[in-house]
Amino acid sequence: MSRIFVYGTLKKGQPNYFRLLNGTNGKAEFLASALTVEKYPLVIAGEYNIPFLLNIPGQGHRVHGEIYKVDDRMLNFLDDFESVPSLYQRTAVRVEVMRWLRRTEGEEAQPPGSITEAFLYSTDTHPSDWPSLPCYESYDSCGDHGLQYVAREARR
């Protein structure tokens, strides 16, 4: 089992959250809300308004997201879904627990402020102008930015 930190369309209430719930993809258990220890640029880019966390530590904001415990099947599904390694790369980062909501087998509840490690999907294979795009602390497809995510099923 691995921990994954999601910050974009896979979060609860976002367009791809259902993929974490689909048992045919594997198993995912919500553990906690958290934010990255390091600052990163979280941008919305491309013609489909996809959220990207740029692998540029120290720039941008501490990014809010959720920690999930996933099995190998789900991890492999997510790697494929995130087009690893061409579009995103899966990297380990440190995240600060905001609120640990679930006690699961093999996982000790962690108090707010504690630091743990999780994988996240970031990119260092992006166009050179992306670091100059507006950065966000938290992603919402229907946010004030007006850049609603275009689901894969709706793309041309």
Side-chain angles (χ1 to χ4, degrees):
M1 300 291 277
S2 301
R3 289 183 184 167
I4 292 285
F5 176 80
V6 299
Y7 57 84
T9 66
L10 290 167
K11 291 189 316 184
K12 287 182 180 181
Q14 297 304 310
N16 287 313
Y17 175 63
F18 73 95
R19 298 179 195 281
L20 290 176
L21 302 177
N22 185 339
T24 60
N25 297 334
K27 184 177 179 182
E29 295 179 72
F30 177 77
L31 296 177
S33 59
L35 69 154
T36 59
V37 170
E38 292 268 1
K39 292 179 180 181
Y40 292 94
L42 171 58
V43 301
I44 301 170
E47 67 179 305
Y48 304 120
N49 298 324
I50 298 172
F52 289 93
L53 191 146
L54 307 183
N55 191 3
I56 309 173
Q59 292 186 23
H61 303 283
R62 294 181 69 195
V63 177
H64 292 259
E66 300 166 349
I67 303 171
Y68 289 83
K69 181 178 177 180
V70 299
D71 65 8
D72 288 342
R73 187 172 176 179
M74 179 62 78
L75 188 62
N76 289 331
F77 167 80
L78 291 171
D79 281 354
D80 184 57
F81 179 74
E82 301 288 8
S83 301
V84 171
S86 60
L87 185 60
Y88 290 96
Q89 296 79 46
R90 177 168 38 101
T91 56
V93 296
R94 295 181 320 130
V95 293
E96 179 181 343
V97 171
M98 301 298 291
R99 186 168 171 215
W100 197 273
L101 297 177
R102 182 168 211 157
R103 178 172 272 163
T104 63
E105 185 177 328
E107 291 284 345
E108 290 293 321
Q110 297 187 18
S114 61
I115 306 298
T116 190
E117 193 169 272
F119 289 117
L120 65 68
Y121 294 95
S122 63
T123 186
D124 53 16
T125 55
H126 55 79
S128 61
D129 64 329
W130 282 14
S132 64
L133 293 172
C135 294
Y136 302 92
E137 292 179 33
S138 184
Y139 174 79
D140 184 341
S141 178
C142 296
D144 293 341
H145 49 69
L147 301 170
Q148 188 167 4
Y149 174 77
V150 178
R152 288 182 178 194
E153 299 77 17
R155 297 177 189 171
R156 302 177 240 128

